[in-house]
Amino acid sequence: MSGSWFAVLPDGKAAAPAARELRPSAPCVLTHASGRPWLMGRWPDGSLLEVTAGRARASQVRAVVAGECAVTTAVLRERLGRLRSVTEAGRAAEGLPGCFHLIVSAGGRVWAQGTLSGVRRVFRTRLGGTTVACDRAEVLAALTGSGWDGRWLALRLSGMVMPYPLHETVPWNGIEAVPSDHALVLEPDGRPAEVRRWRAPDPEASLAEGAAAVRAALSDAVAARTAGGGTVSTDLSGGMDSTSLAFLAHSHSHSHGPDLVTYRFAEGDAGNDDARYARLAAERLPRARHVVDRAGEGATMFAGLGPETAAPASAPVPGPAPMSVSSSSSVSSSVSVSVSVRADSEPFGWVRSRARIERTARAMADAGSRTHLAGHGGDELFRTGSHTHLHDTVRRSPMAGLGRVRDYRAMARASWPATLRALTDRRDPAREVALLARCLTAGTPPTTHSGWRVGWVPELWMPVWATGAALETARSVLEAAAEAEPRPLAPWREQHEVLLLARCTGGVVAQADHLVRRAAGVALSAPYLDDQVLHAALAVRPQDRNTPRRYKPLLAEAMHGIVPREVLERRTKGEFSADLYDGWQRNRAAVLALLDDSRLAAHGLIDPGVLRRTLAGVHVSAAPLGSLDATLAAELWLRSVENTHLSPENTHREEPARGKTPPP
């Protein structure tokens, strides 16, 4: 298998068959105190921190931290020594900055957790008769020969990510994702249990209190990435999110700290004022090197998405029959073999920008960067763009809330009846999901009240080129999800929205990280999506997190005295439709050629004639191109799946890494 990954096994005899199946693909092994295989997979030397607490083997607690975390061995050992049970393992990670998995083995039981944003996730399945966890769903799919789910893929055509409450599901049959606010506990006999490890804080902090907490959490998050020295890089677009990271990283660059390189992809729209603020910020970062990729010189949107990107395989992995749009049959083998993984965990949400992401990574690798810090998550945490905060404010403090509503109503030019309907909306998530299922082709989402967006579920709709079978399948999947009565991610609507957006973005960031590591050997990091930053941002009162007259007030207050005042007081936001249209004009022929031989069409999910007619027309808005993203992502993913052969004849055995021994 390509790339870094690890699987987690129970500490019992039941795990022996799974260990045997993993052995050919897993050159790296760590063991439980019992000596049984615990973590098996492939990872670079030094990329995992392993700590053992306790001298007596029978009472030892072992932990592994995988990812970005500056915790020392001594600190982690001291924390592990205080644990009375594996179910308390989450306490060992409390307050630690960074983005990482925590896996703990104690008393024959195992604990595995990822991150709240889903940048680091935990998946599970049955392998060799027991439950096995892994950090990558596609690895489990390859190990088990899992087929892909056509029903999942039909609904995925509705957006860049799967909609709530299915946002953490994956397209592989038999592979389940552990919710990001839960941990997985494995018993010695392999029985799994999902344990809630975190709840959203009560939003009671004032702006001043919240700003101090966000400032400390974000500074620590950046420090966790820069602690290793060397060269790190950040985006410097001119916006508040990336500029804040650049200045925090710059504050850590000193004689013994990292070198800093900033990167800006110059926009194509002359009316976009990002360049002005980026230049202003660069002038205040004297110790940094600044790279500007001029407009027209770099990779455009939709570049590299032609037929050559992922040609269909001659012997595809079995999937649904045309027009059936059902779960596919699995591909399995009774022979334990080393399998090759080329498909990603799911369709890539930022597919139109893939060439640009790779170009940025290569430019930063050429500049010597080991890690690139990106501002993904800043919008999700500090400016969602909806009005859920008004709904929460009115519920919490009606008099104060109505005063704030007047300002927003005037800006939106909304009537008072529509405003009152929005603010008194009492629909729960299940009812909203059911309404969306009935209105997948409607122009105005049923969760919107004359422009007021206060619902639990973001708007979604199927593209006009989806077939009738795909539309009905997507509707039935949503209806089943509604019947399961999903619970909100947090008690308050804005908190729920922030967590949902963060988790959707976090999953795509993880995919982008895998992409840039393959392309350039550089890690992609998103400090805004760290657990500690999320928790600090969610603890602030909704009326303090949002104001009609100040852009991202919580982040601006947190960065006061660090980021130039001109950037913090900026009231404009870059607009990139010119880049979108330019990229489409340059790459339309290649994209249409890809879709002329569509695998989605072969499986009855899209109508290629309708798709070509829609894309060949004149676009007065970017809406058709926005709908194309999900289709392109699904098409390329499906081709990569059909190119991945899971039979023994198409596999190879990999040699153990130096100094690592496969399990007995």
Side-chain angles (χ1 to χ4, degrees):
M1 296 180 189
S2 61
S4 176
W5 60 275
F6 62 82
V8 184
L9 281 72
D11 187 9
K13 295 180 180 179
R20 285 195 295 269
E21 292 197 36
L22 279 164
R23 185 188 306 164
S25 302
C28 302
V29 179
L30 298 177
T31 62
H32 295 284
S34 65
R36 299 185 182 96
W38 175 28
L39 265 64
M40 301 179 67
R42 174 182 293 278
W43 55 81
D45 287 343
S47 61
L48 305 186
L49 173 64
E50 183 186 12
V51 176
T52 299
R55 295 184 178 181
R57 182 177 292 271
S59 60
Q60 279 183 351
V61 179
R62 297 192 175 186
V64 164
V65 172
E68 300 161 317
C69 183
V71 66
T72 64
T73 299
V75 169
L76 187 55
R77 181 177 291 117
E78 191 274 332
R79 289 182 174 217
L80 293 175
R82 290 192 247 128
L83 302 182
R84 294 171 298 178
S85 166
V86 78
T87 56
E88 298 179 353
R91 296 180 182 178
E94 284 183 359
L96 295 180
C99 178
F100 53 90
H101 284 95
L102 174 68
I103 307 97
V104 176
S105 174
R109 306 170 76 195
V110 177
W111 171 284
Q113 72 177 57
T115 61
L116 296 175
S117 65
V119 175
R120 301 266 175 177
R121 302 180 69 186
V122 176
F123 304 93
R124 64 183 176 100
T125 193
R126 299 285 295 180
L127 179 67
T130 194
T131 299
V132 172
C134 188
D135 65 328
R136 294 176 62 177
E138 67 272 27
V139 169
L140 292 180
L143 287 166
T144 59
S146 172
W148 56 276
D149 186 351
R151 293 169 58 81
W152 188 99
L153 201 60
L155 181 56
R156 179 60 174 75
L157 295 175
S158 66
M160 292 173 62
V161 294
M162 283 292 276
Y164 170 85
L166 304 170
H167 54 288
E168 292 191 289
T169 60
V170 293
W172 304 102
N173 291 316
I175 311 298
E176 297 182 35
V178 177
S180 296
D181 51 8
H182 285 60
L184 177 67
V185 174
L186 297 177
E187 300 294 342
D189 60 4
R191 285 180 295 118
E194 293 177 353
V195 179
R196 184 141 195 168
R197 68 176 184 88
W198 178 88
R199 295 183 186 276
D202 290 333
E204 299 289 353
S206 66
L207 179 60
E209 294 167 336
V214 168
R215 178 176 180 143
L218 192 56
S219 179
D220 288 346
V222 172
R225 276 78 175 181
T226 61
T231 299
V232 298
S233 54
T234 71
D235 288 334
L236 187 61
S237 67
M240 193 185 301
D241 302 334
S242 65
T243 305
S244 297
L245 296 182
F247 275 83
L248 286 171
H250 189 260
S251 70
H252 294 292
S253 65
H254 46 75
S255 58
H256 301 291
D259 293 328
L260 177 64
V261 180
T262 73
Y263 180 87
R264 183 169 74 86
F265 204 105
E267 62 287 334
D269 190 342
N272 190 326
D273 60 353
D274 275 356
R276 175 192 165 209
Y277 290 97
R279 285 193 298 269
L280 183 151
E283 292 170 356
R284 313 282 180 87
L285 297 170
R287 294 191 300 274
R289 290 176 284 152
H290 304 290
V291 176
V292 179
D293 200 338
R294 301 295 175 186
E297 296 177 1
T300 59
M301 293 188 183
F302 300 106
L305 302 181
E308 72 285 353
T309 304
S314 57
V317 172
M323 301 302 296
S324 68
V325 199
S326 61
S327 298
S328 74
S329 59
S330 64
V331 180
S332 61
S333 169
S334 60
V335 182
S336 179
V337 295
S338 172
V339 295
S340 173
V341 178
R342 292 201 302 275
D344 207 344
S345 59
E346 60 185 271
F348 183 37
W350 297 335
V351 65
R352 79 163 77 145
S353 301
R354 189 168 77 174
R356 184 169 289 190
I357 293 169
E358 290 179 329
R359 182 182 177 91
T360 301
R362 292 190 182 101
M364 294 299 92
D366 290 344
S369 176
R370 58 175 176 81
T371 299
H372 185 70
L373 278 59
H376 306 306
D379 287 341
E380 290 80 353
L381 263 65
F382 301 110
R383 187 178 178 86
T384 63
S386 77
H387 303 99
T388 53
H389 61 93
L390 287 177
H391 194 283
D392 291 344
T393 300
V394 170
R395 282 180 58 198
R396 293 168 56 86
S397 178
M399 296 307 297
L402 288 175
R404 185 63 60 86
V405 166
R406 292 190 187 95
D407 295 333
Y408 279 98
R409 189 188 74 86
M411 294 173 62
R413 298 181 179 179
S415 67
W416 272 113
T419 301
L420 292 175
R421 284 196 301 273
L423 297 179
T424 56
D425 184 291
R426 291 294 181 266
R427 290 178 294 194
D428 60 17
R431 186 178 175 192
E432 286 193 12
V433 173
L435 285 171
L436 286 171
R438 294 198 293 269
C439 303
L440 278 175
T441 58
T444 301
T447 56
T448 299
H449 297 272
S450 301
W452 292 108
R453 293 194 290 122
V454 298
W456 298 96
V457 188
E459 58 195 46
L460 72 149
W461 52 80
M462 294 287 283
V464 296
W465 49 78
T467 63
L471 177 62
E472 289 307 311
T473 297
R475 180 173 287 122
S476 69
V477 172
L478 278 178
E479 288 172 344
E483 290 174 1
E485 299 184 349
R487 299 178 63 84
L489 304 180
W492 298 98
R493 295 192 181 205
E494 188 187 30
Q495 288 185 324
H496 166 89
E497 182 183 27
V498 168
L499 286 168
L500 177 60
L501 294 175
R503 289 181 189 176
C504 290
T505 299
V508 185
V509 166
Q511 290 180 293
D513 179 44
H514 295 155
L515 176 68
V516 302
R517 287 177 187 268
R518 291 194 300 265
V522 175
L524 179 67
S525 187
Y528 286 108
L529 295 175
D530 284 6
D531 284 14
Q532 306 308 317
V533 182
L534 258 173
H535 188 94
L538 291 173
V540 181
R541 296 182 304 223
Q543 63 268 33
D544 288 338
R545 286 174 41 86
N546 305 270
T547 173
R549 295 183 178 85
R550 190 179 182 189
Y551 185 66
K552 297 184 179 177
L554 178 56
L555 180 59
E557 194 68 22
M559 292 296 101
H560 179 72
I562 297 176
V563 174
R565 177 178 53 81
E566 295 90 337
V567 175
L568 298 180
E569 294 179 354
R570 181 183 177 186
R571 299 181 65 86
T572 59
K573 185 173 177 63
E575 204 275 330
F576 298 94
S577 58
D579 290 337
L580 175 64
Y581 287 120
D582 175 66
W584 176 243
Q585 292 301 319
R586 291 171 183 258
N587 300 292
R588 175 165 53 183
V591 172
L592 291 177
L594 171 77
L595 296 171
D596 280 343
D597 184 28
S598 169
R599 302 307 303 154
L600 291 173
H603 288 286
L605 291 166
I606 66 170
D607 184 326
V610 175
L611 175 59
R612 176 170 277 277
R613 288 193 298 272
T614 302
L615 297 180
V618 177
H619 304 124
V620 296
S621 76
L625 298 182
S627 298
L628 179 61
D629 280 354
T631 300
L632 274 176
E635 175 69 29
L636 291 170
W637 179 83
L638 184 53
R639 287 176 179 238
S640 70
V641 170
E642 294 190 339
N643 272 339
T644 302
H645 301 281
L646 302 182
S647 60
E649 294 77 17
N650 294 295
T651 61
H652 63 281
R653 188 177 181 90
E654 298 173 327
E655 294 299 322
R658 181 181 302 176
K660 303 293 183 180
T661 304

